[in-house]
């Protein structure tokens, strides 16, 4: 027995000597491996969870389909890594508009994992159903505005085009669409000099970044619903919403940068507000558990050239603000003030 004890002690010491590093290595591999899986879910091509759809034609609107080509990159920003892509869109005019009428136009910009016809729901609210028509396309059109909508790259019927970038490269889709609408205003029967944006969630981020890059004065006003302020911070918020340990956020951000070649901080609207010249309305709810109200507070208090209008609601979860009784009327009045109708 006495001869066995030294052997046992030696075996135990060797196990501790090699076991701890091995366990640590396995743990790190698992940590970064799971973080990569999370990043891949956020950036996946053709991100789409919508199985049901609602089109303007389903509500009796006459819709005009269009396709546009987004240039491979914006030379002003030096982004040479984005290949050109085709976007799918539609446009509807007010039901009572005559052939010679030229109403102003609002471009609707959907959020992550959605598209222009998506009738979406949420895992924590399976009975909820809503589309861009609920969010305002219907009410705006009936109030006298033309309304357009597109599928952002990697969404809906538009082209697959590398990873999703949470609004960074998607902003080029918005600008390209606005240029297309202005150039084809007579064909669509709209006023190409009065164009507005309405985006929710990632669509709001995309719209604000597009507004900061709008050197031609295309955008007359922007309405942002449930928009995040800080791309770095929101990664942790997304994890928290999905009941995933927030400690995976640093590794997830690292993978996001590795997989896209872009810093997630570049998807932070607070970094762009000093370059936005057009009027902006920010709308958010304290009941939002996906993008917490702190993002609204951070955006509202940022260093804007033209301070935005703000509307702080309570009791509504993410992208449900349109259920507020006077939501649609306030949205209509905002665009009437800045676009006319």
């Amino acid at each position: 027995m006495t001869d066995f004890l030294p052997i046992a002690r030696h075996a135990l010491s060797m196990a501790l000597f090699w076991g701890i590093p091995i366990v640590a290595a396995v743990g790190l591999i698992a940590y970064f491996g799971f973080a990569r899986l999370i990043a891949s879910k956020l950036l996946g091509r053709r991100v789409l969870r919508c199985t049901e759809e609602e089109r303007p034609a389903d509500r009796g609107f006459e819709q005009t389909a269009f396709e546009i080509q987004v240039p491979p990159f914006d030379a002003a920003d030096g982004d040479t890594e984005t290949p050109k892509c085709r976007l799918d869109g539609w446009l509807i005019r007010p039901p009572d508009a005559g052939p010679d009428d030229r109403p102003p136009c609002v471009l609707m910009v959907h959020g992550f994992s959605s598209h222009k016809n998506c009738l979406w729901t949420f895992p924590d609210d399976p009975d909820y159903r809503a589309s861009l028509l609920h969010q305002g396309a219907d009410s705006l059109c009936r109030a006298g505005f033309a309304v357009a909508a597109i599928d952002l790259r990697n969404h809906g019927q538009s082209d697959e085009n590398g990873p999703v970038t949470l609004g960074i490269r998607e902003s080029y889709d918005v600008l390209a669409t606005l240029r297309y609408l202005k150039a084809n205003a007579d064909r669509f029967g709209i006023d190409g000099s009065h164009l507005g944006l309405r985006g929710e969630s990632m669509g709001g981020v995309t719209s604000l970044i597009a507004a900061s890059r709008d050197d031609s004065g295309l955008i007359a006003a922007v309405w942002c619903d449930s928009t995040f302020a800080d791309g770095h911070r929101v990664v942790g918020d997304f994890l928290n919403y999905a009941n995933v340990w927030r400690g995976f956020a640093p590794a997830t951000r690292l993978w996001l940068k590795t997989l896209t070649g872009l810093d997630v901080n570049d998807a932070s609207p607070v970094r762009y507000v000093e370059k936005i010249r057009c009027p902006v309305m920010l709308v958010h709810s304290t009941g939002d558990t996906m993008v917490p109200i702190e993002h609204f507070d951070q955006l509202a208090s940022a260093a804007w050239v033209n301070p935005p209008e703000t509307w702080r609601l309570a009791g509504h979860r993410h992208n449900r603000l349109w259920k507020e009784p006077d939501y649609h009327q306030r949205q209509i009045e905002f665009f009437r003030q800045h676009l006319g109708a």
Side-chain angles (χ1 to χ4, degrees), residues 2-55:
T2 54
D3 293 337
F4 174 74
L5 289 176
I7 297 175
R9 292 193 189 99
H10 178 72
L12 178 60
S13 65
M14 292 300 291
L16 291 174
F17 180 80
W18 291 107
I20 292 175
I22 290 173
V23 169
V26 171
L28 282 174
I29 291 171
Y31 173 76
F32 281 98
F34 187 67
R36 191 190 191 289
L37 177 62
I38 295 170
S40 298
K41 290 290 185 181
L42 286 173
L43 303 176
R45 299 185 182 191
R46 192 72 65 181
V47 286
L48 179 61
R49 301 190 185 97
C50 304
T51 57
E52 300 178 68
E53 295 188 353
E54 182 181 38
R55 299 173 174 82

Side-chain angles (χ1 to χ4, degrees), residues 177-230:
T177 302
L178 293 171
R179 294 181 189 121
Y180 178 84
L181 292 173
K182 183 173 184 178
N184 292 274
D186 289 339
R187 171 197 163 195
F188 289 121
I190 63 173
D191 182 352
S193 62
H194 290 82
L195 302 174
L197 287 179
R198 191 268 176 204
E200 105 274 340
S201 195
M202 190 189 86
V205 175
T206 302
S207 297
L208 290 175
I209 297 176
S212 75
R213 293 172 169 169
D214 178 25
D215 297 326
S216 303
L218 289 166
I219 304 169
V222 181
W223 178 284
C224 290
D225 182 317
S226 307
T227 299
F228 63 82
D230 186 333

Side-chain angles (χ1 to χ4, degrees), residues 30-161:
Y31 173 76
F32 281 98
F34 187 67
R36 191 190 191 289
L37 177 62
I38 295 170
S40 298
K41 290 290 185 181
L42 286 173
L43 303 176
R45 299 185 182 191
R46 192 72 65 181
V47 286
L48 179 61
R49 301 190 185 97
C50 304
T51 57
E52 300 178 68
E53 295 188 353
E54 182 181 38
R55 299 173 174 82
D58 297 334
R59 297 197 182 193
F61 292 107
E62 293 185 11
Q63 64 183 74
T64 301
F66 63 85
E67 292 184 356
I68 66 173
Q69 290 288 339
V70 182
F73 64 93
D74 190 319
D77 291 303
D79 184 355
T80 60
E81 301 299 322
T82 307
K84 68 179 181 180
C85 66
R86 179 197 59 83
L87 304 180
D88 193 84
W90 52 246
L91 182 140
I92 54 177
R93 298 177 76 241
D96 57 353
D100 296 326
D101 292 334
R102 294 292 181 268
C105 183
V106 177
L107 175 62
M108 307 283 287
V109 187
H110 65 77
F112 176 78
S113 193
S114 182
H115 62 78
K116 65 183 183 301
N117 297 321
C118 181
L119 192 62
W120 67 81
T121 186
F122 291 89
D124 61 346
D125 193 1
D127 295 327
Y128 175 82
R129 295 286 187 278
S131 67
L132 289 183
L133 290 159
H134 293 86
Q135 291 276 3
D138 188 309
S139 58
L140 285 168
C141 192
R142 297 186 190 280
F145 296 90
V147 178
I150 56 169
D151 292 334
L152 296 171
R153 63 185 66 198
N154 299 311
H155 293 75
Q157 299 302 310
S158 293
D159 281 354
E160 295 186 16
N161 186 265

Side-chain angles (χ1 to χ4, degrees), residues 224-274:
C224 290
D225 182 317
S226 307
T227 299
F228 63 82
D230 186 333
H232 184 274
R233 177 179 183 171
V234 83
V235 171
D237 293 326
F238 286 160
L239 295 178
N240 187 65
Y241 175 79
N243 294 316
V244 176
W245 180 46
R246 205 180 185 97
F248 282 107
T252 301
R253 295 186 196 104
L254 178 63
W255 277 117
L256 289 173
K257 184 172 185 179
T258 301
L259 295 171
T260 65
L262 301 171
D263 191 331
V264 71
N265 277 325
D266 291 337
S268 301
V270 290
R271 301 184 63 178
Y272 300 90
V273 297
E274 293 181 354

